Amino acid sequence: MNYHILGRSTLEVSAIGFGCMSLGEDYAVNERLIHLAIASGINLFDTADIYQQGRNEIALGKAIAAAGKRQEVLIATKVGNQPRADGNGWDWNPRKEYILGAVEESLQRLQTDYIDLYQLHGGTIDDPIDETIEAFELLQQQGKIRYYGISSIRPNVIREYAQRSAIASVMMQYSLLDRRPEESCMPLLRQSNIGVLARGSVAKGLLIDKPAAPYLNYTAAEVSQAAREVHALTSHLRGATQVALRFVLQQPAITSAIVGIRTTEQLEEAIKTIDAPILSDAELDILRQSLPVHQYDQHR
């Protein structure tokens, strides 16, 4: 496994991160999968307080506790979506008071006394951003979190946090089928020494093995064309998963690709990326030229 320092932090994260959102409801199955991931060198596990109404954090916490590996792994979770009292959905709440209360519940579910990376799970330009930053920095001072970041695809929100806070990272969607971050977000984050955690790198499986379907502003035909180019670059040493993930990891701004993992096969395919042949400049150009590049049309 390869490891990289995450932005301004001291966190040394694995190039492949484990996206826990895809985990099922069987705790025993989840525990075996997480233990196998740790044994394979993955040390970054990403979850959120709203995944499965908190059960996702519980599953991760149980598995790490059972492995006795808390000091060897990095837990990333998220906050900001407040569950409604009637259990029917949630409301956006980036207020300090809410964050300071929500972290206590996440710590309990995760069976830990600190979170390595606490991320704001979204954000708008109209949020009380200074108040949100104040909450995260207080939690740092209290030792309840080591670093904080945001999960956002909104350029205007990302700019504000890059300028006004000490965020270590931004999690954003990025793949061959979503290159919108290349326009302004990635150059800004790289210049600011803020790490990028990429999610959605295989585009819901459309680049690998799922039937072509419309994705973002791309038609099914365009998605099919991109998938064909991915598969054309496969070999006995490098499958479609590895090509799709290599495209992401070879983007200089990316620190780690957070891959949604639900099965042993998915885990093995993700890990194979580390030893797979890198994409040459010519191969990268083939992939880049397979689709027109779109830009964010909102929240600029």
Side-chain angles (χ1 to χ4, degrees):
M1 182 60 66
N2 297 332
Y3 301 88
H4 309 285
I5 297 297
L6 183 65
R8 306 162 175 172
S9 78
T10 61
L11 303 179
E12 194 170 4
V13 304
S14 48
I16 300 295
F18 193 116
C20 297
M21 185 175 70
S22 298
L23 291 174
E25 296 283 359
D26 189 319
Y27 284 125
V29 171
N30 294 339
E31 183 175 298
R32 287 195 296 272
L33 198 57
I34 290 168
H35 289 184
L36 181 58
I38 295 172
S40 301
I42 290 177
N43 73 346
L44 178 59
F45 293 82
D46 178 77
T47 181
D49 56 4
I50 61 167
Y51 295 166
Q52 299 164 313
Q53 293 79 47
R55 296 190 301 278
N56 200 268
E57 285 185 329
I58 292 172
L60 178 59
K62 282 186 174 181
I64 292 174
K69 300 285 188 179
R70 180 63 187 96
Q71 302 303 317
E72 299 175 29
V73 303
L74 303 172
I75 295 175
T77 191
K78 308 182 195 75
V79 66
N81 293 289
Q82 182 174 13
R84 293 173 183 160
D86 61 5
N88 186 24
W90 51 80
D91 297 304
W92 179 240
N93 189 348
R95 310 296 306 204
K96 178 180 178 181
E97 181 181 6
Y98 176 67
I99 293 172
L100 296 182
V103 74
E104 300 296 341
E105 297 179 12
S106 285
L107 289 168
Q108 183 176 9
R109 287 190 291 262
L110 290 164
Q111 299 186 37
T112 185
D113 55 5
Y114 68 95
I115 293 165
D116 297 283
L117 180 65
Y118 204 34
Q119 302 159 100
L120 185 68
H121 203 172
T124 76
I125 200 65
D126 297 320
D127 288 347
I129 292 176
D130 288 331
E131 180 180 332
T132 303
I133 294 169
E134 185 179 331
F136 284 125
E137 293 186 346
L138 177 58
L139 291 175
Q140 271 188 310
Q141 294 166 15
Q142 294 173 341
K144 293 177 181 178
I145 68 172
R146 295 177 65 189
Y147 297 97
Y148 66 96
I150 63 171
S151 176
S152 178
I153 60 172
R154 297 182 173 188
N156 56 359
V157 172
I158 291 170
R159 276 196 304 272
E160 290 301 311
Y161 277 91
Q163 293 167 2
R164 295 159 64 175
S165 78
I167 56 171
S169 63
V170 174
M171 177 177 286
M172 60 173 60
Q173 181 166 287
Y174 180 68
S175 72
L176 178 59
L177 289 176
D178 189 359
R179 295 174 58 196
R180 294 175 298 174
E182 292 179 0
E183 180 197 4
S184 62
C185 293
M186 286 186 175
L188 169 65
L189 295 173
R190 193 177 183 203
Q191 181 181 9
S192 303
N193 192 25
I194 297 171
V196 178
L197 303 175
R199 61 176 177 82
S201 300
V202 297
K204 298 182 178 179
L206 292 171
L207 291 171
I208 300 174
D209 54 10
K210 295 289 177 64
Y215 187 81
L216 299 177
N217 292 328
Y218 293 117
T219 65
E222 289 175 316
V223 169
S224 179
Q225 172 62 24
R228 280 197 299 271
E229 296 294 1
V230 167
H231 283 269
L233 296 180
T234 62
S235 68
H236 68 288
L237 296 175
R238 189 176 64 192
T241 297
Q242 290 82 56
V243 173
L245 289 177
R246 272 288 174 196
F247 177 83
V248 170
L249 290 173
Q250 287 179 229
Q251 158 61 243
I254 301 296
T255 308
S256 178
I258 308 299
V259 182
I261 295 172
R262 190 184 183 94
T263 67
T264 301
E265 181 182 28
Q266 290 173 340
L267 174 62
E268 291 173 346
E269 286 298 307
I271 292 171
K272 285 179 184 176
T273 305
I274 300 304
D275 294 321
I278 66 171
L279 296 169
S280 67
D281 290 343
E283 289 172 327
L284 286 170
D285 284 341
I286 289 172
L287 294 174
R288 292 185 185 116
Q289 293 169 15
S290 66
L291 290 170
V293 180
H294 294 155
Q295 299 176 344
Y296 290 117
D297 55 10
Q298 297 179 355
H299 313 293
R300 296 181 61 86

